[in-house]
Amino acid sequence: MTTQILVVDDVPAMAEQYAYDLKRVGKYEVIVAASGEEALDLLGREPVDCVVLDLEMPGTDGFGVLRGMQQRRIETPVIVYTGAGSYDRCVQAVRLGAYGFVDKAEPIERVVQEIENAVSRGRMVKELQSLRARFDVETSLIGDSPPMRNLRAAIARVAPIPSSVLVVGESGSGKELVVRELHRLGPGAKNPLVAVNSAALPEQLVESELFGHERGAFTGADRLRRGAFETAANGTLFLDEIGELPPPAQAKLLRVLEDRQVTRLGGSRAIAVTARVVAATNRDLEEEAAAGRFRQDLYYRLNVHTLRVPALRERLSDIPVLVDHLLRSIAARLGVRPKTITPEALALLAAYDWRKNNVRELRNCLERMMIASDAAVIDVSTVPPDFQAEERDEASDPAAAPGTLKAMKAQAERQIVLAALEKHGWQVTRTAEALGLADHSSLLKIMRRHHLSKGAHRDP
Ligand SMILES: Nc1ncnc2c1ncn2[C@@H]1O[C@H](COP(=O)(O)OP(=O)(O)OP(=O)(O)O)[C@@H](O)[C@H]1O
Ligand SMILES: [Mg+2]
C-alpha cells in the first residue's frame, strides 16, 4: 500500500520541490495543491494519508485549512511548515490539530521522519475508531417492538439499584446484551464487568473461581488468586447459566449474598462484596427449585428483580431492524463491505417460523447468506433452505410454489399484518383501521388464512 501525501504551497516551485524530494524516497505518491481552497477540495475527494502544509498563503492560509478540516471532520494528519522559523505560529497550528511541524530549511529526512510518525498515528486512530464502532454495533440492544420497549424501560429502572437481578430468556435471545446494558447504565459502569459461566466451570474450580484462594489453599494453588467477586469490585458480577451451578457452590453463593462478604479459600479475612450480582439462565428456575435441582432460597435471593428477555417470535416486527443491524455487525466482524437484503428475502425471513430459534440463529443465518454469494445484495435465492422449509406450509396459498410472486406476496402480507397486530397490542379493530382495511372482519379473515392468533402465535 503506497502512502499518498498532499503538499500544499502557494509557491509552485516550493511544492514541486517537496513533491520531487518525497517521490525520490520511493514509497510515497505525492499530489500538490496551490491554495488552501484547493487543498480542502482535494481532501474531500482523495484518499490522503498525510498533508504537508505551508502556513503562509494568500486567501485560506494554513490555519484556515486546519480549521476547515476540523469543520469537515477530516482527520488526516497534518505537518505544517513555515519559512520564518516562527515557533509561535507552529505551536498555534498544533493547537488547531496539526500533528507536527518542520522548518523549510530542514533536510528532507526530517520531513520524512515526521510524515512516518504522523501516518502511523493516523492509522492507529482510524483502527481505534473502527474497533470502537464495531464494539458499539455488537453491544447495542436493537428493537422497538412493545416487548423490547418494555424491556428497555425495565433495564433503565433496575440499572441504578444495587440489588441482584435475574435475567431470564431462551437461548440466544440476547440475555448477555441485557446484562451489558445493565452494567453500562449502572453506577459501576466504569468498573469491571466480570462474567463467569457456571456451566463451563469444572465443579472443583467453581469456588476458587468465584471466591478466590490463598496461596497453598490446596494442592496446585501455588499462588494467590482473587475470585470473581473481588475482581468485579464496584462493578458487575455476571453469573451466566446460573441454573448449572453445582449444589455445594449454590450453598456457598447464598452465604456470600447474605453476608455481602467473601473469604478466599484457605483464607480467613473477610472481603466486602461491592459488586452488583446479575445472574442469567435459560431454565425455568422456579421449576428447577420445585424439582429440588436449584436451591429455593438462592432463587429468591437472585430474583429480587427479574428481567425477561422476549423470544424473537414475540417481537417479529423487530426483524427488519435486527436484520439491518446484524448485517452491518457481521460485515464489520468479517471485515467486508456490508450487504443489503431485498424486501422479498427479508419477507421470507420474517415469515419463517421462529418458534424454537432466536436472534442467534437469525445472526448465523445472515452470516451464511452473507458469505454464500458475492453479490452486494442478498436475495431470495440465498436464503438457506432450512429457513424457508417451515414457511412453505404456512404460505397463504398452498398452491403457490415457493419463490413465486404469489408466495412472496403472501409472506409479505403475513409479516405486515403480524407487525401491525403487535404494534396495536392485538386489538383487531384498531389494527384493521391502521392497515386501512374495510372492517375488522377482513382482518380476521387474513389472520385465519395465516394462522395468526395471539395465543397460538405466542405460545406454540
Ligand atoms: N436485541 C438484540 N439486538 C441486537 N443483537 C441481538 C439482540 N438480541 C440478541 N442479539 C445477538 O444475538 C446473539 C445472541 O445473544 P446473546 O449471546 O446475548 O444471547 P443469550 O440469551 O445470552 O444466549 P445463551 O442463553 O445461549 O447464552 C448475539 O450475537 C447478540 O449480539
Ligand atoms: Mg448468554
Side-chain angles (χ1 to χ4, degrees):
M1 187 172 65
T2 55
T3 306
Q4 173 137 284
I5 315 283
L6 169 65
V7 177
V8 192
D9 198 315
D10 59 308
V11 181
M14 247 344 252
E16 292 306 334
Q17 184 62 47
Y18 262 103
Y20 175 76
D21 287 342
L22 286 173
K23 272 185 201 150
R24 274 185 44 219
V25 173
K27 50 182 169 179
Y28 302 131
E29 287 205 27
V30 186
I31 50 176
V32 295
S35 69
E37 291 83 0
E38 192 187 339
L40 285 172
D41 181 48
L42 274 171
L43 279 168
R45 292 189 279 117
E46 292 274 330
V48 173
D49 297 294
C50 184
V51 184
V52 177
L53 176 68
D54 183 15
L55 278 181
E56 291 91 21
M57 290 186 289
T60 305
D61 64 359
F63 298 107
V65 172
L66 287 167
R67 271 189 223 102
M69 286 177 71
Q70 267 179 355
Q71 278 160 9
R72 295 171 173 78
R73 297 184 192 285
I74 298 170
E75 295 185 2
T76 314
V78 178
I79 296 178
V80 296
Y81 69 79
T82 166
S86 89
Y87 182 75
D88 285 354
R89 289 168 66 73
C90 291
V91 170
Q92 201 185 336
V94 169
R95 287 221 182 90
L96 274 172
Y99 174 80
F101 53 86
V102 290
D103 193 282
K104 273 183 190 170
E106 284 188 274
I108 196 71
E109 291 74 29
R110 253 279 289 149
V111 183
V112 169
Q113 186 63 56
E114 282 291 314
I115 291 178
E116 286 298 297
N117 293 343
V119 166
S120 71
R121 209 194 67 131
R123 294 214 169 109
M124 250 158 63
V125 167
K126 237 188 236 153
E127 225 161 87
L128 205 68
Q129 280 169 346
S130 87
L131 275 176
R132 197 166 290 147
R134 214 178 94 189
F135 183 79
D136 286 348
V137 169
E138 299 217 328
T139 57
S140 44
L141 204 54
I142 299 294
D144 202 34
S145 58
M148 277 311 275
R149 257 185 265 158
N150 290 342
L151 176 61
R152 241 189 242 112
I155 293 174
R157 257 198 317 276
V158 174
I161 306 169
S163 337
S164 303
V165 179
L166 183 64
V167 180
V168 299
E170 291 176 13
S171 173
S173 58
K175 295 187 292 296
E176 181 154 351
L177 282 189
V178 169
V179 176
R180 289 190 184 284
E181 192 70 356
L182 267 175
H183 178 71
R184 194 178 67 82
L185 297 176
K190 292 220 159 47
N191 301 314
L193 164 65
V194 177
V196 176
N197 185 349
S198 324
L201 278 179
E203 203 169 323
Q204 322 83 272
L205 282 186
V206 178
E207 287 170 35
S208 84
E209 203 59 37
L210 287 177
F211 314 129
H213 62 245
E214 298 289 343
R215 190 173 160 196
F218 48 83
T219 18
D222 45 4
R223 52 163 119 175
L224 180 150
R225 188 187 155 82
R226 281 176 226 287
F229 273 99
E230 255 183 275
T231 46
N234 297 312
T236 305
L237 174 60
F238 172 29
L239 301 172
D240 204 1
E241 318 259 9
I242 191 78
E244 320 301 317
L245 201 66
Q250 286 180 29
K252 296 238 167 84
L253 176 61
L254 177 67
R255 278 268 312 278
V256 169
L257 294 177
E258 276 171 349
D259 302 349
R260 298 298 297 170
Q261 57 183 40
V262 277
T263 311
R264 297 186 196 129
L265 290 181
S268 50
R269 192 165 59 91
I271 300 157
V273 168
T274 53
R276 141 160 21 217
V277 176
V278 180
T281 182
N282 51 22
R283 297 198 181 203
D284 182 341
L285 275 196
E286 195 160 6
E287 203 180 289
E288 294 291 299
R293 285 188 294 266
F294 198 84
R295 290 186 70 113
Q296 190 108 35
D297 41 10
L298 178 57
Y299 171 59
Y300 289 133
R301 269 275 156 199
L302 290 172
N303 82 343
V304 182
H305 302 282
T306 297
L307 294 177
R308 206 182 76 79
V309 185
L312 185 55
R313 65 175 171 282
E314 296 169 52
R315 51 189 196 99
L316 289 174
S317 56
D318 285 338
I319 285 185
V321 277
L322 266 175
V323 166
D324 181 61
H325 165 85
L326 292 170
L327 282 176
R328 272 184 288 134
S329 147
I330 295 164
R333 197 170 58 77
L334 300 180
V336 300
R337 207 180 275 279
K339 293 188 177 182
T340 52
I341 186 164
T342 63
E344 292 79 16
L346 185 61
L348 207 53
L349 284 179
Y352 171 75
D353 186 1
W354 293 98
R355 204 168 305 184
K356 295 176 286 296
N357 295 321
N358 276 299
V359 187
R360 183 175 297 119
E361 281 78 12
L362 176 60
R363 191 191 170 100
N364 292 344
C365 167
L366 290 170
E367 183 164 332
R368 277 160 69 189
M369 286 165 50
M370 189 108 107
I371 50 188
S373 104
D374 292 329
V377 179
I378 294 169
D379 64 11
V380 177
S381 68
T382 334
V383 178
D386 39 335
F387 283 86
Q388 298 187 18
E390 286 180 67
E391 178 280 326
R392 277 175 199 168
D393 42 47
E394 283 207 11
S396 75
D397 185 349
T404 60
L405 182 62
K406 209 169 180 185
M408 285 186 270
K409 269 192 188 155
Q411 287 144 21
E413 182 182 67
R414 183 177 197 275
Q415 185 205 357
I416 292 163
V417 169
L418 185 54
L421 282 164
E422 277 186 350
K423 187 169 165 205
H424 297 284
W426 290 82
Q427 292 192 36
V428 178
T429 317
R430 267 173 54 196
T431 309
E433 245 173 51
L435 288 171
L437 292 169
D439 54 12
H440 78 277
S441 67
S442 327
L443 177 60
L444 286 175
K445 232 197 252 159
I446 300 174
M447 288 171 67
R448 229 172 287 128
R449 186 151 26 97
H450 290 287
H451 311 288
L452 288 172
S453 70
K454 188 177 178 186
H457 181 69
R458 276 176 190 244
D459 200 9

